[in-house]
Amino acid sequence: MPDPRERRHLSRRGFVQGASLSAFALGGSGLLSACGTSGAKVDQDECRSTDKSDSEQQLAFSNWPLYIDPIKAKNTSTLEAFEQETGITVDYTADVNDNDGFYAKVAPQLSECKSTGRDAFALTDWMAARMIDLGWIQELDHDNMPNVDANLLDWFKTPAWDPDRKYSVPWQAGMTGICYNSKLVDPVESFEDLLTRPDLKGKVTVLSEMRDTMIFMLLLQGADPEDFTSQEYSAAIGELKSAVDSGQIRRFTGNDYIDDLKSGNVVACESWSGDVSQLGGDNFKWVKPSEGFAVWADNMMVPNLATHKANVEKLIDFYYQPKVAAQLAAWNYYVCPVRDAADHMAEFDKSAVDNPLIFPDEQELDAGIDFMPLDSGQDKEYQQQFNEVQSG
Amino acid sequence: MSQRPAPVVDGETARRRGYGWLLLVPGMLWLVVFFLIPTVQLFFTSLYDPSGSYELGYAMTWHFQNYPDAVRDNFDLFVRSFLYAGITTFVCLLLAYPLAYAIAFKSGRWKNFLLVLVIAPFFTSFLLRTLSWSAILSDQGVVTSLLKSVAILPEDGRLLATPVAVIAGLIYNFLPFMTLPLYASLDKVDPRLIEAAGDLYSSPFTGFRKVTVPLSMPGVVSGTLLTFIPACGDYINAELLGTTRQYMIGNRIQAAFLRERDYPVAATLSLLLMLVVVAMVVVYVRRAGTEKLV
């Protein structure tokens, strides 16, 4: 029989035993993950929040970098004008660097019915479609946004994924094409040039978002990006891979292609239409590739559990006044989705009044190409193939 | 305040009562919460059915096939990561040894100043330092044009977006991790031992080889570990200074977790990286014979 006094002493063996037991017990809580994960789709009725817009004059808005005229410019910025007119304080953050990255940031909360701390964000069509499908987005009240109904260009009114614009309203739209430095190279007019011309070798970048880049790869295959088969997709991936393996494509980029273009590391690249104006200098040219070009919009949405939806609606309505829209477009040079904004453009930037990159006519937009909607399984498979090329 | 004499507990009593082990509790708790539990979770995640997706959910099917699949699909990436990390470690050792030696033995009153210089880069962020390298090595930059004008680089050559840039970035970023442990063990070498070697008619080189080097082995081992292990998993250098063809396993894991949200693949790769590194380290430490490391 052990000496009872010994029990009070902590022996080495006792400690190790106790410690490993408690470690095992605690480690066991990791076992929760042994059951797999449930899906990300939520039942919206369970994720409702009460709107506090009446009592709290504020909202938090996440948007892409360089997408709004400087908000600190006193008395001249559109955001400042909105704040003065409505008394609503806007917490504006440029923290959307790419759709996937932002999705990764908010998915853990939204898939578990928790607040993201944001009242609104702007994401590209396909991502907007996915989030609406997952039940993460609140319905907007069009009665609070008469300017949207009056001024939204018809072309943007009925996307297949939100036919009545119940959940989303475009912030700005844009086109995907090619930008080149005319000081360093001859005009680059097609995606084929970009991928085959020897004088561009190693000085070309393409975009890291699968849809952006694969639209053009599919077009090069003679396939229709709005309706293609998985064989056609694989062939397009094969061609992209050989352009990467041969060293023609230097790297895949997000918005940071601007830095490479500026420093001369890259002389031609796949690019979004508005960014050319940020580059400055006449030597940067943006062209629609001869194979075609893509049109997209970044859409403002209010996520579940945001508590200032009515304030966001006021903000959206404010930016749908043609004059405000003109001021915004005069700064970021993206396609303006607001009718009659061109009439006010002269007040802000005379040279932009009939710039087809800001005010394309609707036939021109019709020529723009969209990417086929993908179900979750296809999306994963295609994304995986694209990523395999991206990561060598 | 009155001074009370502290209760006298000599080492022997403390050891017998075993209170010393209690001191381990905070550390153990930390490891359990921030290492053990996440690793267990990672392990289970790596066995999810790969046919699921983030949107639809992943089912737990104990899919061990994920492991061979991950090795097959990413073999090149693993090889490249270990190659880059190996070269980095080797060059770091070559650069850091003379540096640490000079600081330990030859720097006199400049010793502290030089040590501060070694850690000075840490005052700016890792990201900023790497980004500045992309400016220094850029195609139109001074370094590239200089190397071209002396024909070390061909006319259409470049530094940025090549393996050279990635490995150079890794070496630069990890050099202090090699230098500091080396310095710590070289500084402890008793100069009288080296003098004694000279007295016994060894040449300076033999003295260095037979006295200094063996005594600095603990520094070499911990320096190489501190460089090699994080360099294997690094993805910032490959991302900012390289291209897709220089991507390392870290880039793949990051893309799988954040871009594809393919959790099974990401978890499998993370665990594989951990296992392979641990295996390599065990072999290395045994070989290097570090019983005196502690």
Side-chain angles (χ1 to χ4, degrees):
Chain A
M1 204 176 147
D3 182 344
R5 276 172 304 171
E6 258 183 25
R7 284 199 205 140
R8 267 180 278 136
H9 301 321
L10 182 60
S11 70
R12 175 182 175 171
R13 177 177 294 171
F15 176 80
V16 172
Q17 278 171 351
S20 28
L21 264 179
S22 27
F24 192 76
L26 272 168
S29 58
L31 289 171
L32 281 178
S33 56
C35 314
T37 62
S38 57
K41 199 161 187 154
V42 297
D43 178 1
Q44 271 198 290
D45 286 331
E46 287 172 11
C47 306
R48 298 225 179 272
S49 56
T50 39
D51 198 71
K52 295 185 192 149
S53 294
D54 288 336
S55 53
E56 295 176 2
Q57 297 291 302
Q58 63 185 57
L59 70 93
F61 182 16
S62 285
N63 206 348
W64 297 67
L66 304 175
Y67 223 17
I68 192 169
D69 52 309
I71 51 180
K72 296 260 165 60
K74 283 270 174 215
N75 302 323
T76 57
S77 94
T78 52
L79 203 65
E80 183 105 339
F82 170 74
E83 290 186 335
Q84 276 169 6
E85 193 179 304
T86 59
I88 295 169
T89 315
V90 182
D91 178 9
Y92 184 93
T93 324
D95 62 346
V96 187
N97 269 309
D98 64 307
N99 287 299
D100 283 305
F102 191 77
Y103 180 81
K105 210 183 281 187
V106 296
Q109 288 103 39
L110 288 174
S111 62
E112 287 179 14
C113 267
K114 288 185 185 137
S115 164
T116 60
R118 297 171 175 86
D119 298 305
F121 43 66
L123 298 172
T124 310
D125 299 323
W126 61 273
M127 183 55 84
R130 180 194 286 173
M131 287 194 173
I132 292 170
D133 185 52
L134 289 171
W136 292 359
I137 304 299
Q138 298 190 36
E139 211 171 297
L140 295 168
D141 185 354
H142 276 257
D143 290 344
N144 293 338
M145 307 185 294
N147 286 330
V148 174
D149 293 338
N151 296 333
L152 177 61
L153 289 181
D154 288 340
W155 201 86
F156 292 102
K157 269 191 173 153
T158 52
W161 43 270
D162 187 11
D164 303 317
R165 284 288 178 194
K166 261 162 62 179
Y167 298 96
S168 66
V169 176
W171 168 256
Q172 293 281 274
M175 296 181 256
T176 311
I178 293 174
C179 182
Y180 66 92
N181 185 337
S182 62
K183 219 194 266 172
L184 299 176
V185 280
D186 298 335
V188 180
E189 266 143 16
S190 67
F191 220 74
E192 193 171 357
D193 276 0
L194 206 60
L195 296 188
T196 52
R197 255 176 45 187
D199 61 319
L200 305 179
K201 189 175 175 191
K203 304 211 159 269
V204 168
T205 59
V206 294
L207 293 167
S208 58
E209 287 205 359
M210 182 258 281
R211 287 167 178 79
D212 278 327
T213 298
M214 290 314 291
I215 277 189
F216 291 102
M217 299 312 301
L218 285 161
L219 284 171
L220 281 179
Q221 294 296 310
D224 178 3
E226 291 173 356
D227 181 19
F228 57 87
T229 64
S230 60
Q231 284 87 356
E232 287 171 323
Y233 187 85
S234 301
I237 282 284
E239 185 160 353
L240 181 66
K241 186 165 168 40
S242 60
V244 170
D245 289 345
S246 73
Q248 180 79 11
I249 293 176
R250 184 187 182 105
R251 59 192 205 102
F252 291 77
T253 68
N255 233 327
D256 49 335
Y257 65 81
I258 294 176
D259 303 327
D260 273 336
L261 263 179
K262 265 189 187 159
S263 61
N265 292 335
V266 159
V267 294
C269 66
E270 189 185 5
S271 132
W272 293 309
S273 58
D275 287 336
V276 185
S277 69
Q278 322 280 344
L279 284 162
D282 296 332
N283 49 329
F284 295 108
K285 310 281 186 209
W286 191 88
V287 290
K288 289 179 193 157
S290 58
E291 292 91 356
F293 63 101
V295 180
W296 41 264
D298 288 324
N299 306 279
M300 287 178 276
M301 294 174 288
V302 178
N304 286 348
L305 294 149
T307 50
H308 305 102
K309 184 166 80 85
N311 289 344
V312 175
E313 285 158 353
K314 277 186 193 157
L315 178 94
I316 297 175
D317 199 50
F318 178 83
Y319 276 95
Y320 268 75
Q321 303 171 74
K323 193 174 163 182
V324 179
Q327 190 181 347
L328 182 66
W331 192 83
N332 71 21
Y333 268 63
Y334 273 100
V335 171
C336 179
V338 180
R339 184 178 294 128
D340 298 335
D343 300 344
H344 298 269
M345 197 45 143
E347 293 170 42
F348 305 103
D349 183 352
K350 286 210 171 63
S351 66
V353 172
D354 37 35
N355 185 332
L357 294 186
I358 304 175
F359 304 114
D361 56 48
E362 303 207 6
Q363 280 149 357
E364 218 175 330
L365 289 174
D366 278 336
I369 301 156
D370 200 2
F371 201 82
M372 185 168 91
L374 303 176
D375 65 43
S376 160
Q378 285 172 319
D379 184 70
K380 191 180 166 193
E381 186 196 324
Y382 289 163
Q383 187 75 53
Q384 233 163 22
Q385 292 186 34
F386 184 70
N387 279 314
E388 264 161 38
V389 179
Q390 266 204 63
S391 51
Chain B
M1 230 202 285
S2 67
Q3 291 237 325
R4 261 196 300 166
V8 184
V9 182
D10 60 19
E12 188 54 37
T13 324
R15 203 169 307 137
R16 208 175 52 236
R17 292 202 184 147
Y19 294 142
W21 297 99
L22 284 176
L23 295 175
L24 282 175
V25 169
M28 297 282 269
L29 212 60
W30 178 273
L31 276 178
V32 167
V33 173
F34 294 108
F35 180 72
L36 187 68
I37 295 179
T39 309
V40 169
Q41 280 180 332
L42 206 60
F43 172 69
F44 285 126
T45 306
S46 73
L47 300 175
Y48 287 172
D49 192 332
S51 64
S53 73
Y54 178 79
E55 280 74 25
L56 301 176
Y58 285 107
M60 178 54 152
T61 54
W62 303 95
H63 199 269
F64 281 95
Q65 186 61 27
N66 281 341
Y67 283 84
D69 286 352
V71 173
R72 192 193 60 223
D73 294 344
N74 299 283
F75 190 73
D76 293 351
L77 275 178
F78 273 111
V79 170
R80 188 189 293 149
S81 302
F82 294 131
L83 182 70
Y84 284 8
I87 297 175
T88 301
T89 311
F90 182 68
V91 178
C92 274
L93 185 61
L94 288 187
L95 291 174
Y97 204 97
L99 178 62
Y101 188 89
I103 297 176
F105 292 119
K106 310 285 179 196
S107 59
R109 62 198 176 90
W110 295 100
K111 192 181 265 184
N112 286 336
F113 177 70
L114 289 175
L115 280 175
V116 169
L117 284 189
V118 170
I119 54 167
F122 288 122
F123 293 136
T124 49
S125 108
F126 180 62
L127 219 53
L128 274 184
R129 278 182 277 141
T130 312
L131 278 171
S132 355
W133 275 105
S134 82
I136 295 170
L137 299 176
S138 79
D139 292 15
Q140 317 281 317
V142 187
V143 181
T144 313
S145 354
L146 185 76
L147 290 180
K148 277 182 186 169
S149 63
V150 296
I152 291 179
L153 262 185
E155 205 34 59
D156 61 344
R158 63 170 195 232
L159 282 175
L160 194 62
T162 63
V164 176
V166 177
I167 295 174
L170 284 168
I171 292 170
Y172 167 77
N173 278 313
F174 289 108
L175 192 58
F177 295 100
M178 182 67 93
T179 312
L180 293 177
L182 275 177
Y183 163 78
S185 57
L186 280 169
D187 196 46
K188 274 190 285 187
V189 174
D190 189 341
R192 285 174 300 183
L193 292 175
I194 304 171
E195 281 165 23
D199 290 346
L200 295 168
Y201 297 103
S202 84
S203 67
F205 178 72
T206 315
F208 173 75
R209 193 167 59 87
K210 296 213 159 168
V211 179
T212 317
V213 170
L215 287 175
S216 66
M217 272 318 275
V220 174
V221 172
S222 47
T224 44
L225 292 181
L226 280 176
T227 309
F228 184 78
I229 297 172
C232 285
D234 182 84
Y235 70 95
I236 297 290
N237 286 285
E239 177 74 41
L240 297 179
L241 302 174
T243 71
T244 50
R245 275 172 304 155
Q246 282 81 46
Y247 272 9
M248 297 168 70
I249 197 71
N251 300 82
R252 182 77 190 89
I253 294 174
Q254 189 250 7
F257 261 126
L258 296 183
R259 198 162 278 284
E260 296 159 45
R261 285 165 306 279
D262 193 338
Y263 293 166
V265 165
T268 309
L269 288 174
S270 306
L271 279 176
L272 275 174
L273 178 65
M274 212 190 290
L275 287 176
V276 176
V277 168
V278 167
M280 287 165 103
V281 166
V282 167
V283 172
Y284 172 69
V285 169
R286 290 228 165 149
R287 281 270 176 117
T290 47
E291 52 283 349
K292 292 197 190 95
L293 250 186
V294 198

